Amino acid sequence: MDITQPLPLLGGLSPQQFMNTHWQKKPLLVRQAIPDFKPLLDRAELFELAASEDVQTRMVIQTPSATAGWHFKHGPFERRALPPLKQPGWTMLLQGVDLHHDAVHALMNQFRFVPDARLDDLMISYATDQGGVGPHYDSYDVFLLQAHGKRRWRIGRQKDLSLQPDVPLKILANFEPEEEYLLEPGDMLYLPPLYAHDGIAEGECMTYSIGFRIPNRAEVARELLQRLAEDAEEAVGLTLYQDPDQMAVAQPAEIPSRMLEFAKDALRDALADDQAFGRGFGEYMTEPKPSVWFEGVEPTDGLAELLNQTGCRLDRRTRMMFDAQHIFINGESFTASGRDAGLMRALANGRQLSADEVGQLSAQAFELLVSWAESGWVLPG
Ligand code: SIN
Ligand code: CO
């Protein structure tokens, strides 16, 4: 992607300009971000996904306030379990639809001017007239693309983030909207984290939300420490504690401070191993979503031949990234250098390689590619 090229998707801003002026900073409304946009799944297809165990689905039903408001349910939902389409004020949210649908995945890929490590998923919401999830804020950035029907968004910088008590959803107690926009199919609204918003359907409505992954410090620390623990022996060795000048003690239960220093020093060494650190982080970043399950294929000679003839592409659920030393794919890491590293990086960035490029891989790297194809991570063509 040419990040200096103005894009209709960003209202004529280039990805570079958008990131400089809006990302994590201020909203952007784009009329006709995708001109003549048509929903990629119709209502029946969406309802079919909502019935699947593999899709995380939630439903929010609003009843007139006299009977106390908001109801929340977790899916999956069979078609007959849904409220009638004529009943106003309900909405259903389907998380991670990009994992299940190629065109939805391709749409999400238009936002790859943001690093893959930050891109999370594409959620689709279906709402009947007046449906919505109430005024709230999210902790992550979001692009709200109107896919079908109309939705009225009210948004604001909201200082008071207190929430309504005793409701099953996070709903702002004192929402103070500052701006209001009616979005039609193809229009899009970008909101930075913590920006308050309330979107209310006007008639039947579908909205696509491109959401972002925003790890917190405790989460990354926990993940990294766990992974570094697995490599501890290699990283810091098995040197034994020594205390030739330990004195006799009158308080035997007291832990010697020198022992604590020994432990700290070992931990510092483990953390200072940049290779292991980078490896652990990349493996963590490319770990497939918990719901993802790859069907492998039987190893045959035909597969290698096919990859050679047609090139290859990543399965839409595959996560592949790289750093200066490693290639990461679906939670595994490999070291690569020279031409192989260039080609593997091209696969991670472009999510495909031509037959010609596959032909340039070393025998070892090609073998790796074949094993990924056998795991179902990489597909021919
Ligand atoms: C929706 O699509 O109904 C809600 C999306 C959001 O507010 O983040
Ligand atoms: Co939101």
Side-chain angles (χ1 to χ4, degrees), residues 58 91-93 123-127 131-138 140-146 151 153 191 197-201 205-209:
R58 293 164 292 160
T91 184
M92 192 164 64
L93 310 159
M123 178 184 89
I124 299 185
S125 70
Y126 172 88
V133 298
H136 67 282
Y137 63 89
D138 298 303
Y140 47 82
D141 314 74
V142 65
F143 289 95
L144 298 153
L145 173 67
Q146 190 57 21
R151 187 184 285 276
W153 287 102
L191 296 176
H197 52 287
D198 186 18
I200 298 178
C205 162
M206 290 185 210
T207 303
Y208 292 7
S209 308

PDB file of all heavy atoms in Angstrom, residues 58 91-93 123-127 131-138 140-146 151 153 191 197-201 205-209, ligand 1:
ATOM      1  N   ARG A  58     -23.589 -11.516  20.415  1.00  0.00           N
ATOM      2  CA  ARG A  58     -24.305 -10.978  21.587  1.00  0.00           C
ATOM      3  C   ARG A  58     -25.568 -10.283  21.108  1.00  0.00           C
ATOM      4  O   ARG A  58     -25.620  -9.801  19.981  1.00  0.00           O
ATOM      5  CB  ARG A  58     -23.431  -9.947  22.307  1.00  0.00           C
ATOM      6  CG  ARG A  58     -22.192 -10.531  22.949  1.00  0.00           C
ATOM      7  CD  ARG A  58     -21.183  -9.458  23.302  1.00  0.00           C
ATOM      8  NE  ARG A  58     -20.613  -8.845  22.103  1.00  0.00           N
ATOM      9  CZ  ARG A  58     -20.027  -7.665  22.077  1.00  0.00           C
ATOM     10  NH1 ARG A  58     -19.935  -6.932  23.172  1.00  0.00           N
ATOM     11  NH2 ARG A  58     -19.520  -7.187  20.957  1.00  0.00           N
ATOM     12  N   THR A  91     -30.762  -5.423  18.804  1.00  0.00           N
ATOM     13  CA  THR A  91     -29.575  -5.484  17.951  1.00  0.00           C
ATOM     14  C   THR A  91     -28.755  -6.724  18.297  1.00  0.00           C
ATOM     15  O   THR A  91     -28.787  -7.207  19.429  1.00  0.00           O
ATOM     16  CB  THR A  91     -28.732  -4.192  18.070  1.00  0.00           C
ATOM     17  OG1 THR A  91     -27.641  -4.262  17.155  1.00  0.00           O
ATOM     18  CG2 THR A  91     -28.148  -3.992  19.453  1.00  0.00           C
ATOM     19  N   MET A  92     -28.061  -7.209  17.281  1.00  0.00           N
ATOM     20  CA  MET A  92     -27.243  -8.394  17.467  1.00  0.00           C
ATOM     21  C   MET A  92     -25.847  -8.062  16.946  1.00  0.00           C
ATOM     22  O   MET A  92     -25.704  -7.471  15.877  1.00  0.00           O
ATOM     23  CB  MET A  92     -27.870  -9.522  16.648  1.00  0.00           C
ATOM     24  CG  MET A  92     -27.299 -10.858  16.965  1.00  0.00           C
ATOM     25  SD  MET A  92     -28.357 -12.169  16.351  1.00  0.00           S
ATOM     26  CE  MET A  92     -28.294 -11.906  14.603  1.00  0.00           C
ATOM     27  N   LEU A  93     -24.822  -8.426  17.704  1.00  0.00           N
ATOM     28  CA  LEU A  93     -23.443  -8.075  17.349  1.00  0.00           C
ATOM     29  C   LEU A  93     -22.654  -9.344  17.102  1.00  0.00           C
ATOM     30  O   LEU A  93     -22.586 -10.208  17.989  1.00  0.00           O
ATOM     31  CB  LEU A  93     -22.802  -7.290  18.487  1.00  0.00           C
ATOM     32  CG  LEU A  93     -23.616  -6.109  19.032  1.00  0.00           C
ATOM     33  CD1 LEU A  93     -23.172  -5.732  20.430  1.00  0.00           C
ATOM     34  CD2 LEU A  93     -23.497  -4.910  18.108  1.00  0.00           C
ATOM     35  N   MET A 123     -16.435  -6.535  13.225  1.00  0.00           N
ATOM     36  CA  MET A 123     -17.695  -6.921  13.864  1.00  0.00           C
ATOM     37  C   MET A 123     -18.856  -6.407  13.008  1.00  0.00           C
ATOM     38  O   MET A 123     -18.782  -5.309  12.468  1.00  0.00           O
ATOM     39  CB  MET A 123     -17.764  -6.291  15.261  1.00  0.00           C
ATOM     40  CG  MET A 123     -19.053  -6.584  15.998  1.00  0.00           C
ATOM     41  SD  MET A 123     -19.135  -5.719  17.582  1.00  0.00           S
ATOM     42  CE  MET A 123     -19.883  -4.162  17.086  1.00  0.00           C
ATOM     43  N   ILE A 124     -19.900  -7.223  12.884  1.00  0.00           N
ATOM     44  CA  ILE A 124     -21.091  -6.752  12.168  1.00  0.00           C
ATOM     45  C   ILE A 124     -22.237  -6.669  13.164  1.00  0.00           C
ATOM     46  O   ILE A 124     -22.470  -7.600  13.939  1.00  0.00           O
ATOM     47  CB  ILE A 124     -21.464  -7.701  11.008  1.00  0.00           C
ATOM     48  CG1 ILE A 124     -20.308  -7.769   9.997  1.00  0.00           C
ATOM     49  CG2 ILE A 124     -22.760  -7.244  10.335  1.00  0.00           C
ATOM     50  CD1 ILE A 124     -20.612  -8.574   8.740  1.00  0.00           C
ATOM     51  N   SER A 125     -22.926  -5.518  13.141  1.00  0.00           N
ATOM     52  CA  SER A 125     -24.126  -5.423  13.976  1.00  0.00           C
ATOM     53  C   SER A 125     -25.340  -5.359  13.075  1.00  0.00           C
ATOM     54  O   SER A 125     -25.312  -4.746  12.007  1.00  0.00           O
ATOM     55  CB  SER A 125     -24.060  -4.196  14.886  1.00  0.00           C
ATOM     56  OG  SER A 125     -24.188  -3.018  14.140  1.00  0.00           O
ATOM     57  N   TYR A 126     -26.360  -6.048  13.522  1.00  0.00           N
ATOM     58  CA  TYR A 126     -27.664  -6.001  12.848  1.00  0.00           C
ATOM     59  C   TYR A 126     -28.632  -5.365  13.831  1.00  0.00           C
ATOM     60  O   TYR A 126     -28.647  -5.738  15.012  1.00  0.00           O
ATOM     61  CB  TYR A 126     -28.135  -7.425  12.502  1.00  0.00           C
ATOM     62  CG  TYR A 126     -29.553  -7.426  11.980  1.00  0.00           C
ATOM     63  CD1 TYR A 126     -29.800  -7.241  10.622  1.00  0.00           C
ATOM     64  CD2 TYR A 126     -30.638  -7.552  12.846  1.00  0.00           C
ATOM     65  CE1 TYR A 126     -31.103  -7.180  10.146  1.00  0.00           C
ATOM     66  CE2 TYR A 126     -31.933  -7.490  12.376  1.00  0.00           C
ATOM     67  CZ  TYR A 126     -32.161  -7.304  11.031  1.00  0.00           C
ATOM     68  OH  TYR A 126     -33.445  -7.230  10.555  1.00  0.00           O
ATOM     69  N   ALA A 127     -29.422  -4.410  13.380  1.00  0.00           N
ATOM     70  CA  ALA A 127     -30.388  -3.800  14.303  1.00  0.00           C
ATOM     71  C   ALA A 127     -31.727  -3.583  13.613  1.00  0.00           C
ATOM     72  O   ALA A 127     -31.778  -3.311  12.413  1.00  0.00           O
ATOM     73  CB  ALA A 127     -29.858  -2.467  14.815  1.00  0.00           C
ATOM     74  N   GLY A 131     -32.731   0.260  17.209  1.00  0.00           N
ATOM     75  CA  GLY A 131     -31.791  -0.608  17.923  1.00  0.00           C
ATOM     76  C   GLY A 131     -30.449   0.074  18.123  1.00  0.00           C
ATOM     77  O   GLY A 131     -30.056   0.960  17.356  1.00  0.00           O
ATOM     78  N   GLY A 132     -29.758  -0.346  19.188  1.00  0.00           N
ATOM     79  CA  GLY A 132     -28.428   0.200  19.479  1.00  0.00           C
ATOM     80  C   GLY A 132     -27.957  -0.388  20.798  1.00  0.00           C
ATOM     81  O   GLY A 132     -28.679  -1.139  21.445  1.00  0.00           O
ATOM     82  N   VAL A 133     -26.732  -0.051  21.153  1.00  0.00           N
ATOM     83  CA  VAL A 133     -26.203  -0.605  22.403  1.00  0.00           C
ATOM     84  C   VAL A 133     -26.089   0.462  23.491  1.00  0.00           C
ATOM     85  O   VAL A 133     -25.498   0.220  24.542  1.00  0.00           O
ATOM     86  CB  VAL A 133     -24.834  -1.311  22.195  1.00  0.00           C
ATOM     87  CG1 VAL A 133     -24.972  -2.478  21.238  1.00  0.00           C
ATOM     88  CG2 VAL A 133     -23.773  -0.338  21.688  1.00  0.00           C
ATOM     89  N   GLY A 134     -26.690   1.627  23.224  1.00  0.00           N
ATOM     90  CA  GLY A 134     -26.684   2.693  24.225  1.00  0.00           C
ATOM     91  C   GLY A 134     -25.424   3.526  24.159  1.00  0.00           C
ATOM     92  O   GLY A 134     -24.432   3.123  23.552  1.00  0.00           O
ATOM     93  N   PRO A 135     -25.459   4.713  24.789  1.00  0.00           N
ATOM     94  CA  PRO A 135     -24.275   5.581  24.791  1.00  0.00           C
ATOM     95  C   PRO A 135     -23.157   4.943  25.611  1.00  0.00           C
ATOM     96  O   PRO A 135     -23.399   4.519  26.743  1.00  0.00           O
ATOM     97  CB  PRO A 135     -24.765   6.873  25.439  1.00  0.00           C
ATOM     98  CG  PRO A 135     -26.037   6.529  26.140  1.00  0.00           C
ATOM     99  CD  PRO A 135     -26.615   5.318  25.479  1.00  0.00           C
ATOM    100  N   HIS A 136     -21.965   4.859  25.041  1.00  0.00           N
ATOM    101  CA  HIS A 136     -20.853   4.189  25.718  1.00  0.00           C
ATOM    102  C   HIS A 136     -19.538   4.693  25.134  1.00  0.00           C
ATOM    103  O   HIS A 136     -19.530   5.494  24.204  1.00  0.00           O
ATOM    104  CB  HIS A 136     -20.962   2.669  25.521  1.00  0.00           C
ATOM    105  CG  HIS A 136     -20.755   2.236  24.099  1.00  0.00           C
ATOM    106  ND1 HIS A 136     -21.728   2.354  23.130  1.00  0.00           N
ATOM    107  CD2 HIS A 136     -19.682   1.719  23.465  1.00  0.00           C
ATOM    108  CE1 HIS A 136     -21.266   1.912  21.974  1.00  0.00           C
ATOM    109  NE2 HIS A 136     -20.015   1.525  22.147  1.00  0.00           N
ATOM    110  N   TYR A 137     -18.446   4.207  25.671  1.00  0.00           N
ATOM    111  CA  TYR A 137     -17.151   4.441  25.047  1.00  0.00           C
ATOM    112  C   TYR A 137     -16.443   3.097  24.963  1.00  0.00           C
ATOM    113  O   TYR A 137     -16.761   2.165  25.689  1.00  0.00           O
ATOM    114  CB  TYR A 137     -16.329   5.454  25.845  1.00  0.00           C
ATOM    115  CG  TYR A 137     -15.990   5.003  27.244  1.00  0.00           C
ATOM    116  CD1 TYR A 137     -14.831   4.279  27.490  1.00  0.00           C
ATOM    117  CD2 TYR A 137     -16.837   5.284  28.303  1.00  0.00           C
ATOM    118  CE1 TYR A 137     -14.531   3.845  28.777  1.00  0.00           C
ATOM    119  CE2 TYR A 137     -16.544   4.849  29.583  1.00  0.00           C
ATOM    120  CZ  TYR A 137     -15.387   4.128  29.810  1.00  0.00           C
ATOM    121  OH  TYR A 137     -15.093   3.686  31.067  1.00  0.00           O
ATOM    122  N   ASP A 138     -15.499   3.003  24.031  1.00  0.00           N
ATOM    123  CA  ASP A 138     -14.700   1.787  23.901  1.00  0.00           C
ATOM    124  C   ASP A 138     -13.257   2.142  24.235  1.00  0.00           C
ATOM    125  O   ASP A 138     -12.848   3.293  24.095  1.00  0.00           O
ATOM    126  CB  ASP A 138     -14.785   1.243  22.465  1.00  0.00           C
ATOM    127  CG  ASP A 138     -16.214   0.872  22.093  1.00  0.00           C
ATOM    128  OD1 ASP A 138     -16.814   0.053  22.803  1.00  0.00           O
ATOM    129  OD2 ASP A 138     -16.745   1.418  21.101  1.00  0.00           O
ATOM    130  N   TYR A 140     -10.770   1.016  22.610  1.00  0.00           N
ATOM    131  CA  TYR A 140      -9.961   0.898  21.395  1.00  0.00           C
ATOM    132  C   TYR A 140     -10.498   1.839  20.309  1.00  0.00           C
ATOM    133  O   TYR A 140     -11.623   2.328  20.393  1.00  0.00           O
ATOM    134  CB  TYR A 140      -9.983  -0.549  20.892  1.00  0.00           C
ATOM    135  CG  TYR A 140     -11.384  -1.127  20.866  1.00  0.00           C
ATOM    136  CD1 TYR A 140     -12.234  -0.864  19.805  1.00  0.00           C
ATOM    137  CD2 TYR A 140     -11.855  -1.895  21.937  1.00  0.00           C
ATOM    138  CE1 TYR A 140     -13.523  -1.354  19.798  1.00  0.00           C
ATOM    139  CE2 TYR A 140     -13.143  -2.399  21.929  1.00  0.00           C
ATOM    140  CZ  TYR A 140     -13.972  -2.131  20.864  1.00  0.00           C
ATOM    141  OH  TYR A 140     -15.257  -2.598  20.861  1.00  0.00           O
ATOM    142  N   ASP A 141      -9.668   2.053  19.283  1.00  0.00           N
ATOM    143  CA  ASP A 141     -10.084   2.849  18.109  1.00  0.00           C
ATOM    144  C   ASP A 141     -11.096   2.029  17.319  1.00  0.00           C
ATOM    145  O   ASP A 141     -11.061   0.802  17.336  1.00  0.00           O
ATOM    146  CB  ASP A 141      -8.910   3.089  17.168  1.00  0.00           C
ATOM    147  CG  ASP A 141      -7.666   3.524  17.903  1.00  0.00           C
ATOM    148  OD1 ASP A 141      -7.028   2.670  18.562  1.00  0.00           O
ATOM    149  OD2 ASP A 141      -7.347   4.708  17.836  1.00  0.00           O
ATOM    150  N   VAL A 142     -11.951   2.716  16.586  1.00  0.00           N
ATOM    151  CA  VAL A 142     -12.919   1.970  15.766  1.00  0.00           C
ATOM    152  C   VAL A 142     -13.283   2.761  14.508  1.00  0.00           C
ATOM    153  O   VAL A 142     -13.376   3.989  14.546  1.00  0.00           O
ATOM    154  CB  VAL A 142     -14.181   1.618  16.610  1.00  0.00           C
ATOM    155  CG1 VAL A 142     -14.957   2.857  17.029  1.00  0.00           C
ATOM    156  CG2 VAL A 142     -15.102   0.641  15.881  1.00  0.00           C
ATOM    157  N   PHE A 143     -13.407   2.031  13.394  1.00  0.00           N
ATOM    158  CA  PHE A 143     -13.995   2.593  12.179  1.00  0.00           C
ATOM    159  C   PHE A 143     -15.390   2.005  12.068  1.00  0.00           C
ATOM    160  O   PHE A 143     -15.543   0.772  12.035  1.00  0.00           O
ATOM    161  CB  PHE A 143     -13.198   2.186  10.936  1.00  0.00           C
ATOM    162  CG  PHE A 143     -11.858   2.841  10.806  1.00  0.00           C
ATOM    163  CD1 PHE A 143     -10.714   2.207  11.270  1.00  0.00           C
ATOM    164  CD2 PHE A 143     -11.728   4.084  10.201  1.00  0.00           C
ATOM    165  CE1 PHE A 143      -9.461   2.802  11.139  1.00  0.00           C
ATOM    166  CE2 PHE A 143     -10.476   4.684  10.071  1.00  0.00           C
ATOM    167  CZ  PHE A 143      -9.342   4.045  10.533  1.00  0.00           C
ATOM    168  N   LEU A 144     -16.401   2.863  12.027  1.00  0.00           N
ATOM    169  CA  LEU A 144     -17.790   2.409  11.951  1.00  0.00           C
ATOM    170  C   LEU A 144     -18.294   2.649  10.529  1.00  0.00           C
ATOM    171  O   LEU A 144     -18.540   3.794  10.139  1.00  0.00           O
ATOM    172  CB  LEU A 144     -18.633   3.182  12.963  1.00  0.00           C
ATOM    173  CG  LEU A 144     -18.216   2.979  14.436  1.00  0.00           C
ATOM    174  CD1 LEU A 144     -18.591   4.174  15.286  1.00  0.00           C
ATOM    175  CD2 LEU A 144     -18.833   1.700  14.987  1.00  0.00           C
ATOM    176  N   LEU A 145     -18.366   1.585   9.772  1.00  0.00           N
ATOM    177  CA  LEU A 145     -18.768   1.697   8.365  1.00  0.00           C
ATOM    178  C   LEU A 145     -20.233   1.300   8.244  1.00  0.00           C
ATOM    179  O   LEU A 145     -20.616   0.195   8.629  1.00  0.00           O
ATOM    180  CB  LEU A 145     -17.886   0.751   7.522  1.00  0.00           C
ATOM    181  CG  LEU A 145     -18.265   0.601   6.052  1.00  0.00           C
ATOM    182  CD1 LEU A 145     -18.050   1.905   5.280  1.00  0.00           C
ATOM    183  CD2 LEU A 145     -17.460  -0.527   5.406  1.00  0.00           C
ATOM    184  N   GLN A 146     -21.026   2.219   7.727  1.00  0.00           N
ATOM    185  CA  GLN A 146     -22.457   1.916   7.574  1.00  0.00           C
ATOM    186  C   GLN A 146     -22.631   1.010   6.346  1.00  0.00           C
ATOM    187  O   GLN A 146     -22.151   1.333   5.261  1.00  0.00           O
ATOM    188  CB  GLN A 146     -23.250   3.229   7.442  1.00  0.00           C
ATOM    189  CG  GLN A 146     -24.745   3.059   7.525  1.00  0.00           C
ATOM    190  CD  GLN A 146     -25.193   2.392   8.826  1.00  0.00           C
ATOM    191  OE1 GLN A 146     -24.480   2.390   9.831  1.00  0.00           O
ATOM    192  NE2 GLN A 146     -26.361   1.773   8.811  1.00  0.00           N
ATOM    193  N   ARG A 151     -27.988   4.862  10.277  1.00  0.00           N
ATOM    194  CA  ARG A 151     -27.770   4.915  11.726  1.00  0.00           C
ATOM    195  C   ARG A 151     -27.408   6.347  12.111  1.00  0.00           C
ATOM    196  O   ARG A 151     -26.579   6.990  11.453  1.00  0.00           O
ATOM    197  CB  ARG A 151     -26.662   3.955  12.141  1.00  0.00           C
ATOM    198  CG  ARG A 151     -26.500   3.846  13.651  1.00  0.00           C
ATOM    199  CD  ARG A 151     -25.321   2.962  14.022  1.00  0.00           C
ATOM    200  NE  ARG A 151     -25.571   1.544  13.844  1.00  0.00           N
ATOM    201  CZ  ARG A 151     -26.172   0.756  14.728  1.00  0.00           C
ATOM    202  NH1 ARG A 151     -26.625   1.267  15.856  1.00  0.00           N
ATOM    203  NH2 ARG A 151     -26.321  -0.528  14.505  1.00  0.00           N
ATOM    204  N   TRP A 153     -25.581   8.647  14.567  1.00  0.00           N
ATOM    205  CA  TRP A 153     -24.539   8.634  15.602  1.00  0.00           C
ATOM    206  C   TRP A 153     -24.506   9.976  16.299  1.00  0.00           C
ATOM    207  O   TRP A 153     -24.490  11.026  15.657  1.00  0.00           O
ATOM    208  CB  TRP A 153     -23.164   8.372  14.982  1.00  0.00           C
ATOM    209  CG  TRP A 153     -22.955   6.963  14.537  1.00  0.00           C
ATOM    210  CD1 TRP A 153     -23.018   6.489  13.261  1.00  0.00           C
ATOM    211  CD2 TRP A 153     -22.669   5.835  15.369  1.00  0.00           C
ATOM    212  NE1 TRP A 153     -22.788   5.127  13.244  1.00  0.00           N
ATOM    213  CE2 TRP A 153     -22.563   4.699  14.532  1.00  0.00           C
ATOM    214  CE3 TRP A 153     -22.486   5.657  16.746  1.00  0.00           C
ATOM    215  CZ2 TRP A 153     -22.292   3.424  15.015  1.00  0.00           C
ATOM    216  CZ3 TRP A 153     -22.208   4.400  17.227  1.00  0.00           C
ATOM    217  CH2 TRP A 153     -22.118   3.293  16.363  1.00  0.00           C
ATOM    218  N   LEU A 191     -13.536   6.772  15.260  1.00  0.00           N
ATOM    219  CA  LEU A 191     -13.497   7.317  16.617  1.00  0.00           C
ATOM    220  C   LEU A 191     -12.255   6.828  17.345  1.00  0.00           C
ATOM    221  O   LEU A 191     -11.937   5.638  17.303  1.00  0.00           O
ATOM    222  CB  LEU A 191     -14.728   6.860  17.417  1.00  0.00           C
ATOM    223  CG  LEU A 191     -16.087   7.343  16.926  1.00  0.00           C
ATOM    224  CD1 LEU A 191     -17.187   6.714  17.762  1.00  0.00           C
ATOM    225  CD2 LEU A 191     -16.176   8.865  16.996  1.00  0.00           C
ATOM    226  N   HIS A 197     -19.985   7.530  22.257  1.00  0.00           N
ATOM    227  CA  HIS A 197     -20.824   7.441  21.062  1.00  0.00           C
ATOM    228  C   HIS A 197     -22.093   6.650  21.329  1.00  0.00           C
ATOM    229  O   HIS A 197     -22.112   5.774  22.183  1.00  0.00           O
ATOM    230  CB  HIS A 197     -20.057   6.849  19.874  1.00  0.00           C
ATOM    231  CG  HIS A 197     -19.362   5.544  20.152  1.00  0.00           C
ATOM    232  ND1 HIS A 197     -18.221   5.465  20.925  1.00  0.00           N
ATOM    233  CD2 HIS A 197     -19.622   4.276  19.741  1.00  0.00           C
ATOM    234  CE1 HIS A 197     -17.808   4.214  20.979  1.00  0.00           C
ATOM    235  NE2 HIS A 197     -18.650   3.450  20.278  1.00  0.00           N
ATOM    236  N   ASP A 198     -23.103   7.007  20.556  1.00  0.00           N
ATOM    237  CA  ASP A 198     -24.383   6.309  20.642  1.00  0.00           C
ATOM    238  C   ASP A 198     -24.959   6.246  19.230  1.00  0.00           C
ATOM    239  O   ASP A 198     -25.198   7.282  18.620  1.00  0.00           O
ATOM    240  CB  ASP A 198     -25.339   7.084  21.576  1.00  0.00           C
ATOM    241  CG  ASP A 198     -26.634   6.316  21.812  1.00  0.00           C
ATOM    242  OD1 ASP A 198     -26.669   5.089  21.556  1.00  0.00           O
ATOM    243  OD2 ASP A 198     -27.620   6.956  22.248  1.00  0.00           O
ATOM    244  N   GLY A 199     -25.120   5.037  18.713  1.00  0.00           N
ATOM    245  CA  GLY A 199     -25.630   4.882  17.348  1.00  0.00           C
ATOM    246  C   GLY A 199     -27.005   4.247  17.383  1.00  0.00           C
ATOM    247  O   GLY A 199     -27.161   3.149  17.914  1.00  0.00           O
ATOM    248  N   ILE A 200     -27.969   4.956  16.819  1.00  0.00           N
ATOM    249  CA  ILE A 200     -29.339   4.436  16.850  1.00  0.00           C
ATOM    250  C   ILE A 200     -29.817   4.181  15.422  1.00  0.00           C
ATOM    251  O   ILE A 200     -29.740   5.067  14.557  1.00  0.00           O
ATOM    252  CB  ILE A 200     -30.275   5.421  17.592  1.00  0.00           C
ATOM    253  CG1 ILE A 200     -29.767   5.547  19.045  1.00  0.00           C
ATOM    254  CG2 ILE A 200     -31.722   4.948  17.568  1.00  0.00           C
ATOM    255  CD1 ILE A 200     -30.536   6.515  19.893  1.00  0.00           C
ATOM    256  N   ALA A 201     -30.286   2.943  15.203  1.00  0.00           N
ATOM    257  CA  ALA A 201     -30.728   2.555  13.867  1.00  0.00           C
ATOM    258  C   ALA A 201     -31.985   3.317  13.478  1.00  0.00           C
ATOM    259  O   ALA A 201     -32.872   3.514  14.306  1.00  0.00           O
ATOM    260  CB  ALA A 201     -30.983   1.050  13.839  1.00  0.00           C
ATOM    261  N   CYS A 205     -30.910  -1.948   9.966  1.00  0.00           N
ATOM    262  CA  CYS A 205     -29.570  -1.344   9.856  1.00  0.00           C
ATOM    263  C   CYS A 205     -28.467  -2.367  10.097  1.00  0.00           C
ATOM    264  O   CYS A 205     -28.582  -3.237  10.961  1.00  0.00           O
ATOM    265  CB  CYS A 205     -29.521  -0.226  10.901  1.00  0.00           C
ATOM    266  SG  CYS A 205     -27.912   0.384  11.378  1.00  0.00           S
ATOM    267  N   MET A 206     -27.423  -2.267   9.286  1.00  0.00           N
ATOM    268  CA  MET A 206     -26.221  -3.074   9.546  1.00  0.00           C
ATOM    269  C   MET A 206     -25.012  -2.145   9.553  1.00  0.00           C
ATOM    270  O   MET A 206     -24.859  -1.306   8.650  1.00  0.00           O
ATOM    271  CB  MET A 206     -26.014  -4.123   8.458  1.00  0.00           C
ATOM    272  CG  MET A 206     -27.025  -5.235   8.466  1.00  0.00           C
ATOM    273  SD  MET A 206     -26.545  -6.445   7.214  1.00  0.00           S
ATOM    274  CE  MET A 206     -28.158  -7.077   6.756  1.00  0.00           C
ATOM    275  N   THR A 207     -24.181  -2.310  10.569  1.00  0.00           N
ATOM    276  CA  THR A 207     -22.971  -1.499  10.685  1.00  0.00           C
ATOM    277  C   THR A 207     -21.770  -2.431  10.841  1.00  0.00           C
ATOM    278  O   THR A 207     -21.847  -3.419  11.571  1.00  0.00           O
ATOM    279  CB  THR A 207     -23.070  -0.562  11.916  1.00  0.00           C
ATOM    280  OG1 THR A 207     -24.245   0.236  11.780  1.00  0.00           O
ATOM    281  CG2 THR A 207     -21.857   0.347  12.022  1.00  0.00           C
ATOM    282  N   TYR A 208     -20.701  -2.126  10.139  1.00  0.00           N
ATOM    283  CA  TYR A 208     -19.466  -2.912  10.254  1.00  0.00           C
ATOM    284  C   TYR A 208     -18.474  -2.101  11.087  1.00  0.00           C
ATOM    285  O   TYR A 208     -18.181  -0.954  10.752  1.00  0.00           O
ATOM    286  CB  TYR A 208     -18.835  -3.158   8.870  1.00  0.00           C
ATOM    287  CG  TYR A 208     -19.616  -4.078   7.946  1.00  0.00           C
ATOM    288  CD1 TYR A 208     -20.882  -4.541   8.290  1.00  0.00           C
ATOM    289  CD2 TYR A 208     -19.080  -4.484   6.731  1.00  0.00           C
ATOM    290  CE1 TYR A 208     -21.582  -5.393   7.442  1.00  0.00           C
ATOM    291  CE2 TYR A 208     -19.775  -5.332   5.871  1.00  0.00           C
ATOM    292  CZ  TYR A 208     -21.039  -5.775   6.225  1.00  0.00           C
ATOM    293  OH  TYR A 208     -21.732  -6.600   5.398  1.00  0.00           O
ATOM    294  N   SER A 209     -17.946  -2.712  12.153  1.00  0.00           N
ATOM    295  CA  SER A 209     -16.942  -2.021  12.977  1.00  0.00           C
ATOM    296  C   SER A 209     -15.599  -2.682  12.810  1.00  0.00           C
ATOM    297  O   SER A 209     -15.458  -3.868  13.102  1.00  0.00           O
ATOM    298  CB  SER A 209     -17.267  -2.110  14.465  1.00  0.00           C
ATOM    299  OG  SER A 209     -18.563  -1.704  14.719  1.00  0.00           O
TER     300      SER A 209
HETATM  301  C1  SIN B   1     -23.048  -1.112  16.822  1.00  0.00           C
HETATM  302  O1  SIN B   1     -22.621  -1.349  15.687  1.00  0.00           O
HETATM  303  O2  SIN B   1     -24.252  -1.201  17.085  1.00  0.00           O
HETATM  304  C2  SIN B   1     -22.164  -0.693  17.946  1.00  0.00           C
HETATM  305  C3  SIN B   1     -20.772  -0.457  17.558  1.00  0.00           C
HETATM  306  C4  SIN B   1     -20.078   0.419  18.588  1.00  0.00           C
HETATM  307  O3  SIN B   1     -20.677   1.282  19.160  1.00  0.00           O
HETATM  308  O4  SIN B   1     -18.871   0.269  18.847  1.00  0.00           O
END
